[in-house]
Amino acid sequence: MTWAQIWRIARRDLSGRFRGLRLLIICLFLGVATLATIGSLTASITGELSQRGQVILGGDFEVTMSQRLASEAELAAFEREGVLSETVRMQAMAQRTAPRASGTGPDAILAELKGVDYDYPLYGTLTLQSGKYAPLDPASAVIGAGLADRLDLKPGDKIRFGEAEFTISGIIVDEPDRLGEGFTLGPVALVSDLGIQRTGLIQPGSMYEAKYRVKVGALADPAQSIERLKAEFPEAGLELRDRDRGAPGTARFIERMGQFLSLVGLAALVIAGIGVGNGVASYLATKRQGIATLKILGAGSGDILRIYLVQILAVSALAILGGLIAGALIPPAIIAAAGDVLPVKPGFAIHPLPLAVSAAYGLLIAFIFALPPLARARHVPAAGLFRSLIEGNRWPDRATMIAVGVGIAGIVALALVTAREAVFSAWFIAAATGVLLMLAGIGWAIRWTASRLPRPKAPLLRLALANLHRPGAQTGQLVVALGLGLTLFVILAGIQTSLTNEITRTVPKEAPNLFVLDVPVTRGDEFRRIVEQAAPGAAVNTVPSLRGTVTGYKNIRVADLKDIPENAWVLRGERGLTYAETLPEGSELIDGKWWPKGYDGPPLVSIDREMANVLDLKVGDSLTVSLLGREFTAKIASLRQINWDTMGFNYVMVFSPNTLRDAPHNLAATVSLKGMADADVKERAVSKAVLAGFASSSVIEVRDVIGQVTTILTQIATAIAAAGSIAILSGIAVLIGAIAASRQAHIYDSVILKTLGATRRQILSAQALEYGLLAALLALVALALGLTAAWYVITQIFSFSWAPDWPVVMLTLAGGALLTLGLGIAGSLPVLAARPARALRQL
């Protein structure tokens, strides 16, 4: 036949209502829409971060340093590159200076205090509720809405930071470089550069960060400016980044999360592909008489393949197009509904690449899963097609299997080429393939075992067992569908409950009540005495606290690295440093020895074992750190295992005291009120007493930190649940497809049984037993597979502890099993409605 004839027959044979192919449409639509939505949303956010790089960063490039201001030589070098703006940011306690007019609430909270110069901001606009912003005088401040709400402040009121009092001149609506500042523990307040000096908070050893933003010329390249500064100040420990990395941590997290969710979406699409195969098989089963007639009239096997391949591809194209439209339109709705959850709010835009990738995945999946049933219909002779209901299906021929293999290779290649982390994607695909092959093998084993078991005496059980292996049985497809559905239920339950328990079970038991920063070293004893007076019996722990940058390890300079290793977060920016005579609480010595008390030799350092593994460090290697603009090199004396769950002072790098003792620094402290009555009252008393005695110190309530972390984890869990729910819907569609594909065979059996005197209840009971046996067998398999996958996600991807809520997991599994059993029974109801006379004429 010519292609024109092929298309004419295919078009006439295809129902305008797509009867028989609706399952294919639903499965492909769900899978493609999921992938397109995830890809478009990720592209929208990362694209917005890239486009707004100058505004987010606050300049074309930025130089950051901790616990010091730039020297005159450094300032001169910065100014040579362009227009310079200086900001200083630190954690500070914001205090009301007048009693509240009404109601109750805190009189002081932790805030992020930022001192800005006359040229701030270089890019973007600082927007106030009044709509106007003018450079601040030394006695004025503008504050964030969160700070105004918590302290019940308004323009014209007074607020105190350290030793200085400020008049609030406005409430901030939009701070242009908010995202570029990174994670903060409190709402923002802006004062002038002279104003922050008035507070007395900038002292030697104080924890603050100076940022120098530079606006270069229109034709200048900020990357070249950065290279010049690196060459001029190689040992200053400067942290430099340009406008292309305005918010690198946020962009990296969005990309990782997007890749993970895309792989989940790809898994959902693969699951949907099984439904495509079932839908095509079911559709061709209804067309078997027409196919046989065409063959009798002279149509060749190739003609049959092309006719129905054109139909399948046409319907698949419509389903994929619908999925792409949904994938392009849903992200704006998600962005609008998310509110302030997302880091930026990009406008509506069409992103061709993720849509093209999603369409390619959809076409490949449709091709791979539709080809085998098409090939079986192509190669079976006309007489065999009439008998195919009871003869079963042939295995696809070699050419078909080669074509399917090429399609699978295309999916793998596409996943690896578009992945941010190809190795992770490869393992994910391998695991998903392994699970599918395992379930397919289990389906074959169940069918083989059922055919060889002794026949039970109970008629219904004997019939249910026979249904598992009789000709035309869809046991393999049912096992895959049920197994995937139940496994996904277990995965989501394991991930959700572990993320919840990470906070609700572990942190509250171990965490202190308060963190206190910037306690002067010389007043450590006085600090303990004040805390003891405010809360007798409180546990106080103080440690020296400094900030430094790792600039080299072994014989490697960090500045010379083309790319920072993926998990080497310790090399990105500044890290906390401390020193200790003895092994810190919450750490376990793994390798090497701790230095003796009174040690006065060459600098030594103890590092976290995980950091050592990532950087391939061992005892005896060297580590170079820049502190306050000066570099020093220490020898690694030991490796430690850190218990991060304590939320205490868990420093990755702990130095021998003689290394850092003489550097300007302050103390950080934790205050634990565990087991005390009226802990909340005593917590407020400690905060008030500390602020009264130490105006330059900052008090952090751990419950605020836990609240922020809980919000982040909840958002992660919600995103995973949303993507996983699509996979579950796909699994349910696959199950429905498997039931539909076996319906003709069940109708045949039902008619024969009714003719022999069986009742509807008996027929329904037999099918319920069939699905019940499969659900019971697969529950254990799903539990093992689901828990393994959830454990990997929690421990290896998110680096959290594995703490599922077992009753919830088991109830979820039981609920999933009952749901699938209910779907199986519901899908069997049309079988009972078949009238023997009409069905026998059709058969």
Side-chain angles (χ1 to χ4, degrees):
M1 295 183 184
T2 65
W3 280 106
Q5 293 172 319
I6 293 291
W7 170 244
R8 186 163 58 250
I9 294 174
R11 179 174 53 81
R12 289 177 177 177
D13 186 55
L14 186 63
S15 169
R17 298 181 180 179
F18 302 111
R19 185 171 299 161
L21 291 174
R22 293 169 187 170
L23 177 65
L24 180 149
I25 294 173
I26 292 172
C27 288
L28 274 182
F29 174 81
L30 284 174
V32 172
T34 301
L35 272 177
T37 298
I38 293 170
S40 296
L41 183 60
T42 303
S44 294
I45 296 174
T46 55
E48 185 73 7
L49 290 174
S50 177
Q51 292 175 7
R52 294 179 54 195
Q54 288 175 321
V55 176
I56 291 172
L57 186 65
D60 290 304
F61 73 89
E62 176 188 81
V63 186
T64 304
M65 55 192 72
S66 283
Q67 295 184 279
R68 74 180 184 95
L69 300 174
S71 65
E72 292 185 3
E74 290 169 335
L75 283 174
F78 302 160
E79 290 175 340
R80 285 197 299 269
E81 302 296 335
V83 180
L84 178 66
S85 174
E86 177 184 358
T87 64
V88 176
R89 59 189 291 264
M90 65 189 309
Q91 301 295 330
M93 297 304 294
Q95 304 177 62
R96 285 183 56 90
T97 59
R100 288 176 175 268
S102 62
T104 59
D107 291 325
I109 64 169
L110 185 70
E112 181 191 357
L113 180 63
K114 184 157 73 172
V116 300
D117 63 6
Y118 184 85
D119 293 318
Y120 173 86
L122 293 177
Y123 289 102
T125 303
L126 180 66
T127 307
L128 305 178
Q129 288 182 355
S130 61
K132 297 180 180 180
Y133 167 76
L136 298 167
D137 61 66
S140 298
V142 292
I143 63 175
L147 183 56
D149 292 341
R150 294 194 62 185
L151 292 183
D152 191 20
L153 296 170
K154 60 184 183 300
D157 290 344
K158 303 288 186 179
I159 189 170
R160 174 178 292 277
F161 291 100
E163 300 173 356
E165 190 175 276
F166 299 88
T167 300
I168 299 173
S169 60
I171 307 298
I172 300 172
V173 174
D174 181 34
E175 182 188 2
D177 56 343
R178 170 73 273 157
L179 187 58
E181 299 287 13
F183 181 79
T184 59
L185 292 173
V188 69
L190 266 64
V191 298
S192 67
D193 48 1
L194 295 177
I196 201 169
Q197 294 295 333
R198 289 180 56 234
T199 65
L201 298 176
I202 306 297
Q203 300 290 337
S206 298
M207 300 297 290
Y208 66 91
E209 192 173 61
K211 292 188 174 185
Y212 298 87
R213 282 80 176 265
V214 179
K215 181 178 182 179
V216 301
L219 301 179
D221 183 2
Q224 294 180 359
S225 298
I226 288 176
E227 292 302 321
R228 285 193 291 269
L229 292 176
K230 284 182 178 179
E232 188 172 352
F233 305 101
E235 299 182 0
L238 304 179
E239 182 184 350
L240 301 106
R241 54 176 173 159
D242 61 22
R243 60 197 178 203
D244 293 333
R245 298 190 308 120
T250 302
R252 189 162 52 246
F253 174 79
I254 294 296
E255 289 175 357
R256 281 184 176 179
M257 197 66 187
Q259 181 190 352
F260 174 73
L261 293 178
S262 294
L263 290 173
V264 174
L266 178 57
L269 186 56
V270 172
I271 295 170
I274 302 171
V276 169
N278 290 339
V280 171
S282 179
Y283 175 69
L284 292 177
T286 65
K287 297 291 184 180
R288 66 182 185 276
Q289 293 181 346
I291 295 173
T293 302
L294 286 171
K295 285 198 169 188
I296 290 172
L297 294 176
S301 296
D303 296 328
I304 299 299
L305 176 64
R306 286 187 292 166
I307 288 171
Y308 288 97
L309 183 60
V310 165
Q311 285 188 357
I312 300 304
L313 290 179
V315 174
S316 298
L318 289 175
I320 291 171
L321 179 61
L324 294 179
I325 293 173
L329 297 179
I330 291 175
I334 294 176
I335 292 169
D340 295 331
V341 171
L342 297 176
V344 292
K345 288 189 175 182
F348 176 76
I350 301 296
H351 299 278
L353 182 59
L355 295 180
V357 170
S358 302
Y361 276 132
L363 285 173
L364 287 170
I365 289 293
F367 175 78
I368 290 170
F369 287 95
L371 199 57
L374 284 170
R376 284 193 289 266
R378 168 192 178 187
H379 289 289
V380 175
L385 281 166
F386 282 118
R387 297 192 303 268
S388 63
L389 184 61
I390 58 173
E391 285 188 349
N393 295 322
R394 291 182 49 183
W395 188 256
D397 61 288
R398 180 180 298 177
T400 300
M401 297 307 296
I402 291 174
V404 169
V406 171
I408 294 174
I411 287 180
V412 173
L414 187 60
L416 296 181
V417 168
T418 58
R420 185 176 184 271
E421 298 177 17
V423 175
F424 172 73
S425 298
W427 278 108
F428 187 96
I429 293 170
T433 304
V435 168
L436 289 175
L437 292 176
M438 179 187 299
L439 290 174
I442 291 172
W444 176 88
I446 290 175
R447 187 167 182 167
W448 183 86
T449 304
S451 67
R452 283 159 177 78
L453 286 176
R455 294 184 177 181
K457 293 182 179 180
L460 293 180
L461 183 58
R462 183 167 67 248
L463 184 58
L465 198 63
N467 282 342
L468 295 176
H469 64 85
R470 58 169 172 72
Q474 298 292 316
T475 303
Q477 291 90 329
L478 286 171
V479 166
V480 172
L482 281 168
L484 287 174
L486 294 178
T487 299
L488 288 168
F489 277 117
V490 174
I491 290 173
L492 288 182
I495 291 175
Q496 291 276 8
T497 56
S498 283
L499 287 175
T500 301
N501 291 340
E502 179 71 18
I503 296 299
T504 59
R505 291 188 177 182
T506 304
V507 174
K509 290 181 180 179
E510 304 291 342
N513 296 77
L514 299 171
F515 283 104
V516 185
L517 304 179
D518 284 331
V519 177
V521 174
T522 56
R523 301 178 62 190
D525 293 337
E526 181 184 352
F527 173 80
R528 293 185 182 88
R529 186 171 61 254
I530 288 176
V531 173
E532 177 66 24
Q533 291 174 352
V540 180
N541 180 33
T542 59
V543 297
S545 181
L546 304 94
R547 301 284 293 179
T549 304
V550 176
T551 57
Y553 58 97
K554 294 195 287 191
N555 295 319
I556 302 172
R557 294 287 300 180
V558 175
D560 297 334
L561 292 174
K562 185 177 181 181
D563 293 305
I564 300 296
E566 184 59 36
N567 295 318
W569 50 269
V570 75
L571 302 182
R572 294 187 175 93
E574 295 181 321
R575 298 294 154 201
L577 311 177
T578 191
Y579 59 85
E581 287 275 10
T582 58
L583 182 68
E585 183 180 352
S587 293
E588 177 185 355
L589 201 64
I590 300 298
D591 190 15
K593 297 181 179 179
W594 199 261
W595 42 82
K597 290 186 177 181
Y599 174 78
D600 196 28
L604 298 176
V605 63
S606 175
I607 66 173
D608 173 40
R609 180 174 65 175
E610 185 176 323
M611 169 187 169
N613 292 337
V614 170
L615 299 180
D616 192 25
L617 295 172
K618 60 183 182 299
V619 173
D621 288 339
S622 63
L623 188 72
T624 302
V625 176
S626 176
L627 174 66
L628 299 175
R630 297 180 59 186
E631 279 192 353
F632 66 92
T633 300
K635 178 181 176 182
I636 298 175
S638 63
L639 306 181
R640 292 171 294 121
Q641 178 68 46
I642 300 176
N643 179 18
W644 297 100
D645 291 341
T646 62
M647 280 194 70
F649 292 117
N650 298 314
Y651 284 85
V652 173
M653 295 170 282
V654 179
F655 291 84
S656 56
N658 63 312
T659 306
L660 303 178
R661 185 186 291 120
D662 295 333
H665 65 280
N666 287 328
L667 300 176
T670 60
V671 179
S672 179
L673 307 174
K674 185 178 179 181
M676 290 188 177
D678 299 326
D680 291 343
V681 176
K682 292 180 178 178
E683 188 176 297
R684 290 193 293 270
V686 170
S687 298
K688 188 174 181 179
V690 168
L691 290 177
F694 298 86
S696 62
S697 297
S698 301
V699 181
I700 303 172
E701 295 182 359
V702 173
R703 67 166 66 94
D704 291 340
V705 180
I706 294 174
Q708 292 191 47
V709 174
T710 301
T711 300
I712 294 172
L713 293 180
T714 301
Q715 293 166 1
I716 293 173
T718 301
I720 294 173
S725 297
I726 299 298
I728 288 177
L729 288 175
S730 300
I732 291 174
V734 170
L735 177 61
I736 294 172
I739 294 170
S742 63
R743 185 172 298 160
Q744 290 298 319
H746 276 132
I747 289 174
Y748 181 93
D749 294 342
S750 172
V751 167
I752 300 299
L753 291 171
K754 283 183 178 181
T755 303
L756 296 175
T759 65
R760 291 188 175 188
R761 176 179 292 183
Q762 289 173 326
I763 296 172
L764 186 61
S765 298
Q767 293 190 14
L769 277 173
E770 176 187 351
Y771 294 124
L773 286 172
L774 288 178
L777 289 172
L778 291 172
L780 294 176
V781 176
L783 186 64
L785 292 176
L787 289 177
T788 301
W791 171 86
Y792 183 84
V793 171
I794 290 294
T795 61
Q796 304 303 309
I797 295 179
F798 295 117
S799 299
F800 295 147
S801 59
W802 174 238
D805 191 327
W806 295 108
V808 172
V809 172
M810 299 307 295
L811 286 174
T812 303
L813 177 61
L818 289 175
L819 174 62
T820 54
L821 180 60
L823 289 173
I825 295 174
S828 302
L829 294 178
V831 174
L832 302 179
R835 295 183 179 274
R838 181 182 299 176
L840 287 172
R841 285 196 300 269
Q842 293 175 348
L843 293 171

